[in-house]
Amino acid sequence: MKVVVMAGGEGTRLRPLTITRPKPMTHIVGKPIMEHIINLLSEQGFKEFIATLYYLPEIIQEYFNDGSNWNIKLDYSIEESPLGTAGSVKYALKDKEKGRILIVSGDALTDFNFQEIIRFHEEKKALITIVLTSVENPLEYGVVITDDEGRIVKFLEKPSWGEVFSDTVNTGIYILEPEVLDYIPENEPFDFSKDLFPMLLEKGAPLYGYIANGYWCDIGNLEQFLKANIDILTGKVKIKIPGREILPGIFVNEDVDISHSAFIKPPVYIGQFSKIKENATILGPTVLGDSVFVDSEAKIQRSVIFNNTYIGKKTNIYSSIIGSKCNIKNSVKIEEGASIGDNNTIGDRVFINTGVKIWPNKYIETGSIVNTSIVWGSHWRKTLFGQRGITGKINIEITPEFATKIGASFGTILPKSSYVVMSRDARPACRMIKRAILTGILSTGVNVFDIRTLPIPVSRYATPNLDTVAGVHIRISPYDPEKILIEFFDRSGINIDKNTERKIENTFFREDFRRTYTEEVGEIKFPPHVIEYYTWGLLKSIDKSSIEKKRYKVVIDYQGNSASLFLPNILSQLKIENISLNIYGEDTHKIKVPNEEVIKITKAVGADFGLIINNDGESFSIITPGGKYLAKDELIAVLTYLTLKLYPNSQIVIPVNISQSIEKIANNLGGRIIRSKISPSELTKTLLRTESKFGASEDGLIFPDFQPVFDGIYGLLKFLEIYSKNNLTLKELVEELPEYFKVKATVDCYAENKGKIMRKLIEENAEKNIEYIDGIKVYIDDSWVLIIPHPEEPALIIYAESTTLKKAQELLEEFSQKIKDLNIALT
């Protein structure tokens, strides 16, 4: 059996450590990660190895040579351009004798028993065996579900929380039968998880998942790198630590010099030729590489220090990573989470704050206070994007400094000299953050069309019509008025996809911003007639005459929305008498929905409707002439009824959390309901793919005949158009709706338990009908319960619906309690 070691990765999330070395050559307790895996496999009887290389290949080749020092035969395959995981294996084995293949990562730490994995593979007569393990946070891995026999039934690469069905993930360790190579195209990018496995699963090939016992850690970032070192020292990994154990938990290599007055608290590893001077303190778990000099009265705690580094007198290092050939001078203080690359000089009395990263070959002057990274920057949080853009508390989580870096990250992934549309809502906080983001974008050489304060649908419409490459809108979050929301659009005005989000995140966390010269800095322009173009397009897309004939009277609450700058004029053109409340510029931050004032005035003046423009113009709400506020599901149901009356056999898209009353209406009128995931981007994708009449969710309505995004202004006019062609009154329409009751709750849980709880709920309800479109939806007689992991918080969201309010509340309480119990049991 040949072992293919995947060792071509750049390890961008491990920067600054991987700027000067490939990720597999990053040292863990005295040895490169790749050496640990080769040692393990060699001891278990594997002798023929091929390493696939791409980034800095010569460093790996010079270190391992032909592999004879490890009692193996090691060949190399160097790709000229990235071929993907499967493509690189095909390329590496193209001239080799065919046989069974074991594929392992050269940058993951494990102590699995590979002979047991092979026995499982042979017993199952598998074409491919994927080695699985359980992790706390499945978002960065491929989630895999197997049946009782171990056969794979479902997997998903790097899911969102709504797609997490289990905490069992793909480790990137595979056993392949030789015929698998025939399915991989030559000399073109092809991936195991994204391309090969889904194709073979669809063909019904015998793909099995082996849930391995033992330790596995994908060393994907600096926190995991530090954790892996600590796990070896604390005995969590069955790997032999180099050197000898001179005292319990204190491991030293040859020719180590330790002063009698030094204090060392295990577990600690000290590499060869290292020296620890008098009164120095080393508190474990800590790793010191080869030829590390720790001067007198220095203190190092819970850290990793690479080879050939000097730590000066009275220097204090806590929970940090220091690269090789660094000169850390006297009385330096390095706080938790700092990462310092190779060949850096840190002057006397320097303070390096928490989370700071310093790229290689820098000089920090004496007495400096370093609060941000030198060139690159601090690691603020693991992920930036939630379900909709980037959100956080103003001046706490989203500060002007943070916003500027976000702008620079976004601008970096865009073409230089291109244009971006920017807009905001009326709040002063949004103005501040918009200007900070704008500054960051300009710094990368990208220009900005500033359309100032306008509703988000207008900004979306302007993005393609101004021939820009992207758009940004800043507003108060519709989900939490204490937070600000930053949304990014592509050139079509649709929210950017996950791949683009990850590009922005990678740039942000690496702080790898594009900087431009003076004459290349972007410029700001203020395009004219943005509202006029939007209004023209809007009126062109509706049947104006149908609305005009009705001579509607409406009371409309703008909630301080800038739609009040132009919507009254549009309504007047449609011969709609409109009474405006809470217009742009008024203090409306304490107004609740539904607003009692709107209800009272609607009834008092005998209006046909009371209307509320919500969520910065993305959605609208309706109040009947009698004063009844229609919930979102009721509004969707009314619009579904009206649409299918006018356009029989139409398709309508709604997400999984919308009432099943919509299906009842569609069944009676001959229409078809298509369910999608909850996120707006997924709703839009489904809507465009199925060519449906409209899409609707709790966030608003999407009519693709105008623009395929939430647009409450167009949605309102489209509703009036469709309603005007129907003979029933709004009161009669509401009475026609099937009666269902839906309730919702959010249940807190530990973040690491989210995937585990989802898996347990599937197991406990296996005999029931379960739907996996988004989260898990359990059908119970004429009721259902939807459980979906919160996309941003350590919590699960539960929806329950039934034909009675009592039953819906009972189901909600039952599943809420189950989640609370599981959270305790799994902790």
Side-chain angles (χ1 to χ4, degrees), residues 159-337:
S160 65
W161 270 120
E163 298 167 321
V164 172
F165 307 123
S166 172
D167 62 334
T168 306
V169 302
N170 179 359
T171 63
I173 300 171
Y174 315 123
I175 299 176
L176 312 181
E177 290 301 310
E179 56 264 38
V180 171
L181 297 178
D182 297 334
Y183 293 96
I184 304 172
E186 288 191 13
N187 298 322
E188 65 179 74
F190 202 72
D191 192 82
F192 282 119
S193 296
K194 295 177 182 176
D195 302 311
L196 181 64
F197 295 162
M199 179 181 70
L200 292 177
L201 194 63
E202 190 173 339
K203 291 177 180 291
L207 272 63
Y208 282 80
Y210 176 84
I211 301 176
N213 294 317
Y215 181 91
W216 177 83
C217 178
D218 175 29
I219 304 171
N221 56 42
L222 294 165
E223 291 84 356
Q224 290 168 335
F225 170 80
L226 187 58
K227 179 179 182 296
N229 278 276
I230 291 169
D231 287 346
I232 290 179
L233 291 177
T234 54
K236 293 181 180 179
V237 195
K238 296 176 182 176
I239 283 179
K240 184 180 178 182
I241 297 175
R244 57 195 177 94
E245 190 174 12
I246 60 171
L247 289 171
I250 300 177
F251 300 86
V252 300
N253 223 314
E254 61 188 52
D255 294 327
V256 169
D257 183 2
I258 303 173
S259 168
H260 291 293
S261 62
F263 176 73
I264 301 176
K265 180 182 178 181
V268 168
Y269 169 78
I270 304 171
Q272 62 182 353
F273 312 128
S274 290
K275 187 169 186 176
I276 301 174
K277 295 281 284 181
E278 59 270 17
N279 298 315
T281 300
I282 313 293
L283 302 178
T286 287
V287 172
L288 305 182
D290 297 340
S291 303
V292 172
F293 191 108
V294 182
D295 216 331
S296 58
E297 298 185 53
K299 182 178 180 181
I300 302 172
Q301 181 176 358
R302 201 176 182 270
S303 296
V304 175
I305 315 296
F306 279 54
N307 300 346
N308 302 299
T309 284
Y310 169 77
I311 309 297
K313 296 177 182 178
K314 298 184 179 180
T315 283
N316 195 323
I317 300 172
Y318 174 67
S319 197
S320 295
I321 302 167
I322 313 296
S324 64
K325 301 177 183 177
C326 287
N327 182 5
I328 315 292
K329 295 189 177 180
N330 300 329
S331 301
V332 172
K333 187 173 184 182
I334 301 177
E335 289 290 327
E336 181 176 2

Side-chain angles (χ1 to χ4, degrees), residues 592-823:
K592 296 180 180 179
V593 176
N595 180 6
E596 293 296 329
E597 183 185 16
V598 184
I599 295 173
K600 288 177 183 178
I601 296 175
T602 300
K603 293 168 68 175
V605 302
D608 296 289
F609 306 101
L611 301 170
I612 303 169
I613 301 296
N614 309 122
N615 301 346
D616 197 30
E618 275 199 326
S619 64
F620 69 96
S621 300
I622 288 181
I623 297 165
T624 69
K628 175 179 169 57
Y629 174 83
L630 297 187
K632 295 296 184 185
D633 287 33
E634 291 177 305
L635 175 56
I636 295 168
V638 167
L639 188 56
T640 299
Y641 182 94
L642 293 171
T643 301
L644 294 178
K645 275 286 190 180
L646 276 177
Y647 309 104
N649 304 316
S650 295
Q651 295 185 149
I652 295 166
V653 178
I654 57 174
V656 292
N657 62 335
I658 297 299
S659 172
Q660 60 187 318
S661 65
I662 314 299
E663 272 94 354
K664 295 286 185 182
I665 294 168
N667 291 339
N668 292 336
L669 297 176
R672 183 185 173 211
I673 300 301
I674 300 170
R675 293 281 182 169
S676 76
K677 295 179 181 179
I678 294 173
S679 77
S681 60
E682 292 296 333
L683 178 67
T684 300
K685 285 180 189 176
T686 307
L687 179 62
L688 296 176
R689 185 179 68 247
T690 58
E691 298 182 351
S692 298
K693 206 70 180 175
F694 71 86
S697 77
E698 292 180 343
D699 290 317
L701 304 173
I702 303 175
F703 287 92
D705 56 343
F706 180 55
Q707 58 173 340
V709 295
F710 293 126
D711 188 337
I713 300 162
Y714 181 73
L716 169 59
L717 299 186
K718 199 69 179 175
F719 174 82
L720 293 175
E721 174 198 310
I722 295 170
Y723 180 74
S724 67
K725 297 177 180 180
N726 185 81
N727 294 325
L728 290 176
T729 66
L730 190 55
K731 181 176 182 294
E732 290 170 332
L733 280 169
V734 173
E735 290 173 351
E736 287 280 327
L737 301 180
E739 192 169 42
Y740 283 91
F741 298 87
K742 189 176 78 175
V743 289
K744 175 185 176 182
T746 300
V747 182
D748 293 335
C749 67
Y750 294 111
E752 62 271 21
N753 284 347
K754 286 163 78 172
K756 295 176 183 178
I757 291 171
M758 294 295 286
R759 174 167 57 85
K760 288 288 186 182
L761 289 172
I762 291 173
E763 293 171 357
E764 290 180 5
N765 294 277
E767 76 286 354
K768 297 184 178 71
N769 180 17
I770 301 179
E771 188 176 79
Y772 296 97
I773 295 173
D774 202 359
I776 58 171
K777 192 173 187 179
V778 183
Y779 288 91
I780 305 163
D781 300 326
D782 58 354
S783 309
W784 57 262
V785 177
L786 172 69
I787 306 101
I788 185 165
H790 197 292
E792 299 163 18
E793 305 295 334
L796 297 172
I797 303 169
I798 309 176
Y799 297 85
E801 184 182 67
S802 189
T803 51
T804 68
L805 180 59
K806 181 182 178 184
K807 178 65 173 175
Q809 289 173 334
E810 287 173 351
L811 287 170
L812 187 74
E813 177 58 33
E814 177 188 342
F815 277 82
S816 296
Q817 192 59 50
K818 281 183 181 181
I819 290 169
K820 291 174 184 176
D821 293 343
L822 285 170
N823 187 48

Side-chain angles (χ1 to χ4, degrees), residues 453-459 530-532 534-536 538-539 558 561-573 578 584 613 616-617 711-714 717:
T453 306
L454 283 174
I456 189 170
V458 180
S459 183
V530 172
I531 292 174
E532 287 86 346
Y534 175 78
T535 301
W536 178 82
L538 189 114
L539 291 174
Y558 287 96
N561 192 288
S562 55
S564 63
L565 296 173
F566 58 90
L567 184 52
N569 177 52
I570 293 174
L571 297 177
S572 295
Q573 290 186 54
N578 58 98
Y584 173 69
I613 301 296
D616 197 30
D711 188 337
I713 300 162
Y714 181 73
L717 299 186

